[in-house]
């Protein structure tokens, strides 16, 4: 099964972002591509995600999963709607 590429919006020093990264690591080891996005790099990211991080975003359709999430929720988020 091909998993969609994702972006994880967060910021350096955010302990919740670190937890999200650790949670995603087993999925990355199985082929999930996750780009880490530093929200302080752009004002609009700070505005959109500043109080929500970490946020996992699908690159294919823009769907977002806000923290807190667990592995099961991430897997369901990544699966095609017809599964």
């Amino acid at each position: 099964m091909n998993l969609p590429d994702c972006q994880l919006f967060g910021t350096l020093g955010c302990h919740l972002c670190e937890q999200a990264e650790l949670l995603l690591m087993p999925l990355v080891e199985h082929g999930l591509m996750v780009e880490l996005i530093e929200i302080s790099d752009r004002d609009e990211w700070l505005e959109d995600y500043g109080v929500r991080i970490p946020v996992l975003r699908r690159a294919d359709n823009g769907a977002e999963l806000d923290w807190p999430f667990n592995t099961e929720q991430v897997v369901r988020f990544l699966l095609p709607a017809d599964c």
Side-chain angles (χ1 to χ4, degrees), residues 5 20 29-31 35 40 45 47 58-59 63 69 72 82:
D5 291 349
E29 291 170 2
H30 286 92
E35 177 185 8
S40 66
W45 290 340
E47 188 175 315
R58 288 178 59 143
F69 47 77
E72 182 179 320
D82 57 352

Side-chain angles (χ1 to χ4, degrees), residues 3 16 24:
L3 297 174
L16 297 177
L24 293 171

Side-chain angles (χ1 to χ4, degrees), residues 3-6 24 26-34 56 74 78:
L3 297 174
D5 291 349
C6 292
L24 293 171
L27 298 171
V28 168
E29 291 170 2
H30 286 92
L32 178 65
M33 299 295 294
V34 179
L56 186 64
V74 171
L78 297 174

